[in-house]
Amino acid sequence: MTRRVEGWTPEIAGRNRVKYLALVEAIAEAVAAGDLKPGDRLPTHRGLAWRLGVNTSTVTQAYREAARRHLVSGEIGRGTYVLADSAEAALFALKAPGAGEFGAADVVDLSTNVPATDPEDNALADSLAALLADGEAAALTAYHPPALLRRAAAAGAHWLAGRGLPVRAGDVVPCAGAQQGLLAVLLALAGPGETVLVEASTFPGMKALARQLRLKLHPLPMDGEGITPEGLQAACRQTASRVAVLVPVLQNPTAATMGPERRAAVAEVAQRHGVTVVEDDVYGGLTDTPPLAALLPLHGVVVTGLAKVAAPGLRFGCIAGPSRLLEPVRAEVHATSWPASPLMLAVACRWIEDGTAARHQAWQRAEIAERRRLAERILGRTLAPAPHQWLAVPGDPADVADRARAAGVEVVPAPVFGVGRERPAAVRVSLTAARTRRDLAVGLERLAAVLAS
């Protein structure tokens, strides 16, 4: 239902010095926080300009830029409306030909965080053949057999043990991928309208969940190791929030990883304030750093899966944590194990049990290392040992992303990830998105030319 928000008057002081961009940032923040909801009709250009004390042309330019960023849609004679589809959702949409000299088929996509593809890998075909040979296929088109769910929980416990987090199978809930797991955990632990603490630049899936669940996001300040303990403590006092969603290892989008001292300090603050840390550990398997939950036995919930280390379409994930936190999650089976395909559960279990997942993990780590060396050579920068890179850029990152697209390479500007007022001048580049290293080199050379111009 359309809701008029004619009285909406954002605070633009202290934001971008360019007034129309400050207004765009305010719109993006209000959408992320749920203050502006899909379908809301924004104030008229003239009315908002009057309340803000700016020229009408400034509001017009801001609405035009917000539409370009897929935040709003303007309809002649009807007004400007908040879109249901977000800028971050557009990352996963089919790419259409742009206005540059390159058609869609010629654009190198370095925008989506997917694992690199091994052209010689036949693991899925082998696993499906084995399921057929074992006579399991028929059972896997029915509802979940209880034995399969128990097997999946045990496989999840085995996978987390390899991450340095020993847990019992009884403390693991299988689910249909990490994003589904986060949804289930937040449904159980955070009610509509509650404030959830997140990194100031957070992953797109978190912003999408906040809109879906009507959660308010509070940004935590970051440095080269992720969130700071001081920032977490200040946020705990300011918001009285009960839940934080963090990516302590290879944070998306910044690739930051907490060192031992930072991990200990953050865990101490969370425990002292009774904050439950929901940890997205999907990239953790690409490192030797254990989950932060190892330091939070009573206040940590881990959500992980195989999408970033094995195959994005293998929708297997697991949720692990202490019984006190896991019981309300376990009770909502329609939000956890029910959406998981029995076929995918069976394949994932096989891969974890027979070492296939670990081999994929090792191959992925080696491939990332090679691609990072290639990127360092082309970009002339020292990069993080991560599948995605957070590159500082000159000027407006949205403009840099537009120019990169026109030059034939897709990257993601910082505003897509931003929560709150901070907007780093950076873009995220996914080194593993390109099909081959040759494709990656082409894309990076195009990006390097844009950054040098």
Side-chain angles (χ1 to χ4, degrees):
M1 182 176 69
T2 299
R3 182 181 66 139
R4 291 176 179 269
V5 287
E6 289 294 337
W8 180 69
T9 308
E11 177 59 61
I12 63 172
R15 297 181 184 272
N16 198 304
R17 287 178 295 177
V18 180
K19 288 184 179 179
Y20 87 90
L21 290 177
L23 180 51
V24 174
E25 291 174 1
I27 293 171
E29 181 179 324
V31 170
D35 296 330
L36 290 178
K37 297 177 172 57
D40 282 355
R41 181 177 176 177
L42 293 181
T44 64
H45 297 215
R46 188 181 302 276
L48 185 56
W50 183 81
R51 287 196 300 279
L52 293 177
V54 300
N55 294 329
T56 302
S57 61
T58 299
V59 177
T60 299
Q61 193 172 7
Y63 281 5
R64 184 181 300 121
E65 174 64 15
R68 189 186 68 78
R69 297 187 187 185
H70 213 64
L71 293 166
V72 303
S73 175
E75 301 179 27
I76 296 175
R78 295 191 64 235
T80 302
Y81 296 83
V82 177
L83 285 176
D85 293 332
S86 63
E88 53 268 18
L91 285 177
F92 303 97
L94 293 174
K95 307 296 183 184
E101 62 177 293
F102 296 91
D106 300 315
V107 173
V108 179
D109 183 8
L110 303 183
S111 66
T112 48
N113 264 6
V114 293
T117 301
D118 182 357
E120 299 181 2
D121 176 46
N122 296 311
L124 180 58
D126 293 343
S127 296
L128 293 175
L131 286 172
L132 289 172
D134 292 348
E136 294 184 38
L140 298 178
T141 59
Y143 289 131
H144 307 79
L148 177 58
L149 293 178
R150 291 193 296 270
R151 180 184 176 193
H158 180 75
W159 182 256
L160 285 168
R163 288 281 300 112
L165 184 68
V167 294
R168 301 176 305 160
D171 292 330
V172 175
V173 175
C175 57
Q179 183 73 7
Q180 180 70 34
L182 282 173
L183 171 64
V185 171
L186 290 173
L187 275 170
L189 301 184
E194 285 197 34
T195 297
V196 173
L197 307 179
V198 296
E199 291 111 343
S201 293
T202 192
F203 57 102
M206 185 60 231
K207 294 177 72 175
L209 287 176
R211 279 193 305 276
Q212 293 164 6
L213 300 179
R214 300 293 188 263
L215 301 173
K216 295 180 180 179
L217 299 182
H218 182 89
L220 297 172
M222 303 175 69
D223 62 15
E225 288 188 79
I227 69 162
T228 65
E230 299 81 8
L232 176 60
Q233 179 160 294
C236 290
R237 290 172 174 167
Q238 179 182 349
T239 67
S241 176
R242 302 179 300 133
V243 177
V245 177
L246 305 177
V247 187
V249 183
L250 298 186
Q251 197 268 343
N252 181 17
T254 66
T257 294
M258 294 184 185
E261 291 183 5
R262 176 64 56 85
R263 288 159 53 83
V266 166
E268 190 278 327
V269 172
Q271 290 177 116
R272 178 154 38 90
H273 288 274
V275 172
T276 296
V277 175
V278 181
E279 180 175 2
D280 185 327
D281 191 56
V282 292
Y283 299 101
L286 301 173
T287 76
D288 294 324
T289 303
L292 180 63
L295 303 178
L296 291 165
L298 299 178
H299 294 88
V301 175
V302 177
V303 180
T304 192
L306 301 181
K308 305 302 182 183
V309 299
L314 186 59
R315 308 308 298 168
F316 170 80
C318 59
I319 306 161
S323 298
R324 174 181 68 87
L325 299 174
L326 210 61
E327 283 312 309
V329 178
R330 192 191 307 279
E332 299 295 340
V333 293
H334 287 83
T336 55
S337 56
W338 192 260
S341 160
L343 178 60
M344 289 295 97
L345 285 180
V347 172
C349 288
R350 279 179 175 267
W351 281 21
I352 292 172
E353 292 161 356
D354 68 12
T356 299
R359 288 191 292 274
H360 275 87
Q361 181 184 42
W363 183 91
Q364 202 69 221
R365 291 174 70 162
E367 181 67 13
I368 290 168
E370 290 296 328
R371 293 187 179 217
R372 177 170 61 89
R373 283 190 281 271
L374 174 64
E376 288 181 332
R377 191 162 60 248
I378 294 173
L379 297 175
R381 306 186 186 199
T382 300
L383 302 177
H388 50 275
Q389 303 294 328
W390 193 235
L391 302 183
V393 297
D396 179 10
D399 177 64
V400 171
D402 279 348
R403 290 191 288 118
R405 177 65 171 82
V409 57
E410 291 269 13
V411 297
V412 190
V416 171
F417 309 97
V419 179
R421 295 189 176 188
E422 281 193 32
R423 290 295 186 270
V427 297
R428 190 194 71 182
V429 178
S430 297
L431 302 183
T432 49
R435 187 175 56 86
T436 66
R437 293 181 203 169
R438 179 182 177 84
D439 291 341
L440 175 63
V442 171
L444 291 174
E445 285 165 358
R446 292 172 180 174
L447 179 59
V450 169
L451 297 178
S453 63

